[in-house]
Amino acid sequence: MAENCTHDCSSCGESCSSRKPESLIKKPHKRAKIKKVIAVVSGKGGVGKSMTSAMLAVSSQRHGFNTAVMDADITGPSIPKMFGIHKRAMGGEGGILPVDSKTGIQVMSMNVLLENEDDPVVWRGSLISGTVLQFWTDVIWEDVDFMFVDMPPGTGDVPLTIFQSLPLDGIIIVTTPQDLVGMIVQKAVNMATMMNVPILGIVENMSYITCPDCGRKLSIFGESAVDALALEYGIPAVAKVPVDRELTAAADGGNIEDVKNNYLDGFFLKIADGLNK
């Protein structure tokens, strides 16, 4: 500590042991109110992060929580399609208003800002990261109990921006039952550890398929490794989601909120209970 220290680091150029690192966490819009923020992540694409985010949001809303989904996959947004949202977001007093699903889930995605839903987003990384950050700072999220952030795959610009800039209460890792999954989970675990963000649970998507004739569970993509991985990394909550034609048809048709068999109900309640203690 400097001899003439005033304890006001903002006006001091000295580098000393008492200096606290500057927080990179951004404040949300001044009219927004968000209690819990959970990111849904994976080390690779195509494992079902968007499906997981949507199912968790539906479960949260059904249990009486005000829920939101931030679609942070700017170049491959799929959340609006799952919820049957085709209208565009509108500007409000000093901010952007999220689009509500038919059950009241607040959604913000690149697809609700584009003039045409099928227009490609051909942007460089810095612009993509800045847009995701604006989803947090410029959108008027109203009285949100749980926000789920549907992340793009990997550990690049956007995941790093979200980990550094949003006050994450934890992450949920999505995997599939293949040999490669161990490495994928390890990457996500290592990033969460580096950024000091808790891992709330792990979802194994496409875990099995139920035979329509005999009812047996068939592990068509290999035997499940999720329980062993959860034990190895100390991950508290585990869920296994099967290949379900009703579920995929509902997502493709924009009717994800109508699915009766939500495989993540118990998983969500366990996580919500842990966060609200």
Side-chain angles (χ1 to χ4, degrees):
M1 184 181 293
E3 189 173 323
N4 298 320
C5 181
T6 64
H7 303 287
D8 182 8
C9 295
S10 63
S11 62
C12 176
E14 296 289 334
S15 178
C16 62
S17 59
S18 62
R19 176 181 287 275
K20 296 181 179 178
E22 184 179 355
S23 174
L24 298 176
I25 298 295
K26 302 295 184 182
K27 292 183 179 180
H29 190 281
K30 61 182 179 181
R31 289 174 53 199
K33 185 177 180 182
I34 308 153
K35 293 179 182 177
K36 303 293 182 184
V37 184
I38 301 170
V40 181
V41 309
S42 179
K44 69 182 296 293
V47 298
K49 291 182 300 299
S50 296
M51 178 71 84
T52 299
S53 300
M55 290 173 67
L56 286 168
V58 170
S59 181
S60 173
Q61 191 79 359
R62 284 179 179 174
H63 285 97
F65 296 103
N66 293 330
T67 308
V69 181
M70 180 196 291
D71 189 351
D73 195 347
I74 300 298
T75 59
S78 54
I79 290 295
K81 179 176 175 60
M82 289 186 178
F83 284 94
I85 294 173
H86 300 287
K87 55 188 176 182
R88 298 179 66 188
M90 305 295 291
E93 187 177 339
I96 305 169
L97 300 173
V99 178
D100 288 347
S101 73
K102 61 185 177 183
T103 65
I105 296 172
Q106 300 174 52
V107 172
M108 178 50 62
S109 170
M110 194 66 205
N111 256 22
V112 301
L113 298 175
L114 296 173
E115 186 172 348
N116 300 300
E117 292 180 1
D118 55 357
D119 286 346
V121 179
V122 188
W123 292 352
R124 295 191 182 275
S126 58
L127 185 55
I128 292 173
S129 297
T131 301
V132 171
L133 198 54
Q134 284 184 290
F135 285 178
W136 175 255
T137 59
D138 295 3
V139 174
I140 306 172
W141 302 100
E142 186 176 354
D143 294 327
V144 174
D145 295 311
F146 286 98
M147 172 183 284
F148 298 97
V149 182
D150 181 22
M151 300 273 270
T155 54
D157 286 347
V158 171
L160 182 59
T161 295
I162 290 172
F163 271 80
Q164 289 182 327
S165 304
L166 270 62
L168 294 179
D169 293 280
I171 67 168
I172 292 169
I173 301 172
V174 184
T175 73
T176 54
Q178 295 156 318
D179 290 340
L180 187 62
V181 75
M183 182 184 70
I184 296 167
V185 172
Q186 191 168 11
K187 286 179 181 291
V189 168
N190 289 342
M191 186 171 189
T193 302
M194 288 173 59
M195 306 305 294
N196 197 29
V197 176
I199 301 169
L200 305 177
I202 182 169
V203 173
E204 185 177 75
N205 197 28
M206 296 177 277
S207 184
Y208 59 90
I209 187 169
T210 302
C211 176
D213 296 324
C214 66
R216 285 181 57 201
K217 292 182 178 180
L218 307 175
S219 301
I220 58 175
F221 293 115
E223 293 301 320
S224 174
V226 69
D227 292 312
L229 288 168
L231 183 63
E232 179 181 353
Y233 295 114
I235 299 172
V238 174
K240 298 177 183 179
V241 179
V243 177
D244 186 324
R245 286 183 295 179
E246 180 188 353
L247 187 60
T248 55
D252 289 343
N255 300 310
I256 193 68
E257 292 165 290
D258 297 334
V259 172
K260 295 179 180 179
N261 194 8
N262 190 326
Y263 298 95
L264 296 183
D265 262 348
F267 180 78
F268 165 74
L269 289 174
K270 184 172 183 179
I271 288 172
D273 183 59
L275 289 175
N276 288 326
K277 281 183 178 178

